[in-house]
Amino acid sequence: MKSEQPADPAPTASPAPHGPPGPAAGPAVTEAVRPEWSGIDRLPTIDLLRLMNAEDRTVAEAVATQLEPIAAVVDAVAARMGAGGRLVYAGAGTAGRLGVLDASECPPTFGTGPERVVGVVAGGQAALAGAVEGAEDRPDLAVADLEPLALTPADTLVGISASGRTPYTVAAVRRARAAGALTVGLACARGSALAAAAELAIEVEVGPEVVAGSTRLKAGTAQKLVLNLLSTAVMVRLGKTYGNLMVDLRAVNAKLRDRAQRIVAEATGADATTVRAALAATGGRVKDAVLVVLAGVDAPAAAALLAGSGGRLREALESAPPKD
């Protein structure tokens, strides 16, 4: 039986092996039962929480073993998105909801169009708020759900499954690969069907759950951490940040408008009056406002500099004419 300790690091981010993923019999490691935890229902609450918290602390270490494969995926996705491709997540249950969550947070954080990062979950919208029983066992639903996206070789599909053998998710990866898209399998087990179906694999083995089989726990946390790393690093590679500042955020409410002012102030060192004037002149666009202040250009010139640099603020600043 697998222990809860992190697995050894994967040596490389080479393509996942093809062919059968090994014996199909027996429960996945994510379904394993730890006999020593059989009495958790009799523990004092504080001891139950200590046990769960101790297990949670192992998750980040398990994710750390997969940083090289994650880096390979980031670079591959960034290259495709930079050429106009999309990042698509597909999964069932908790895994699918986490993909939808990550996709939904990219537009306000990084200013991406909603069509650039997409989440597909077995059972559709109804599955976001409740269980749609049986949807995860339907490969045909995965094919149907991907059809409207018309995947191309410029796109990437990341299949997410704790066990690595969810039929819906494996079918989504196979369908995407047949369309020529780059495919990635994100699982919490080694040697899975998902890894075998995908070109690249990220396999974060976190071991059995405190509540046996409840993969919304450590496995869900691991998946969320990996998706945070993946989408954030891709956006940094695409120039969606300036240093560690979210210069592509969409200031669509009072909180974000205040944040936009603070970001421009941090990036430029300008006073509040200058920052507000720059944001007003540029329609609230943070990158443009930074250029207005630092390069001494007007709003149309700032927009042109950004267009010429592919939206990368640092390059736009380097290409700006000297200030008078």
Side-chain angles (χ1 to χ4, degrees):
M1 182 179 296
K2 302 284 186 183
S3 76
E4 74 277 22
Q5 294 301 315
D8 292 333
T12 67
S14 58
H18 301 290
V29 67
T30 54
E31 301 293 323
V33 177
R34 290 280 294 273
E36 65 267 37
W37 294 340
S38 62
I40 63 169
D41 55 330
R42 296 195 297 270
L43 288 176
T45 300
I46 188 62
D47 291 338
L48 172 60
L49 297 179
R50 284 173 177 146
L51 170 62
M52 295 177 67
N53 181 244
E55 286 301 300
D56 286 343
R57 287 199 296 271
T58 69
V59 176
E61 297 175 2
V63 171
T65 71
Q66 294 294 291
L67 291 181
E68 288 190 11
I70 294 169
V73 172
V74 167
D75 289 340
V77 173
R80 284 163 175 76
M81 291 193 74
R86 297 164 294 177
L87 172 59
V88 179
Y89 298 125
T94 297
R97 294 184 196 104
L98 287 171
V100 172
L101 174 62
D102 195 76
S104 71
E105 291 178 342
C106 286
T109 307
F110 300 111
T112 58
E115 75 286 351
R116 299 300 309 284
V117 185
V118 180
V120 178
V121 60
Q125 289 292 319
L128 297 179
V132 178
E133 301 298 344
E136 69 177 51
D137 297 326
R138 296 274 304 277
D140 59 306
L141 290 183
V143 174
D145 288 345
L146 292 180
E147 196 64 31
L149 295 178
L151 294 172
T152 76
D155 299 322
T156 302
L157 184 135
V158 179
I160 312 167
S161 167
S163 67
R165 60 189 190 185
T166 305
Y168 178 96
T169 310
V170 174
V173 166
R174 288 175 176 158
R175 178 68 187 88
R177 189 163 186 178
L182 174 69
T183 53
V184 180
L186 168 55
C188 293
R190 294 296 181 99
S192 66
L194 187 61
E199 294 167 82
L200 298 174
I202 300 169
E203 299 183 303
V204 185
E205 194 169 18
V206 295
E209 302 286 3
V210 172
V211 176
S214 182
T215 53
R216 72 184 186 90
L217 299 176
K218 289 189 297 183
T221 300
Q223 291 163 351
K224 182 66 169 71
L225 289 176
V226 171
L227 296 180
N228 284 349
L229 292 171
L230 173 57
S231 60
T232 302
V234 165
M235 295 304 163
V236 171
R237 293 278 76 86
L238 291 175
K240 296 291 185 178
T241 65
Y242 178 63
N244 64 344
L245 300 177
M246 294 190 297
V247 289
D248 249 335
L249 71 80
R250 292 182 178 176
V252 295
N253 57 38
K255 179 188 76 173
L256 293 178
R257 285 191 290 272
D258 179 67
R259 183 178 295 168
Q261 291 186 34
R262 287 186 280 110
I263 289 172
V264 176
E266 179 69 26
T268 65
D271 58 60
T273 300
T274 301
V275 167
R276 284 194 294 268
L279 283 167
T282 59
R285 292 184 295 275
V286 173
K287 284 181 175 177
D288 301 59
V290 171
L291 274 167
V292 166
V293 175
L294 291 183
V297 298
D298 60 16
L305 285 167
L306 284 167
S309 68
R312 299 174 185 274
L313 177 55
R314 195 175 297 279
E315 293 178 14
L317 284 166
E318 291 171 354
S319 65
K323 292 178 70 173
D324 294 336

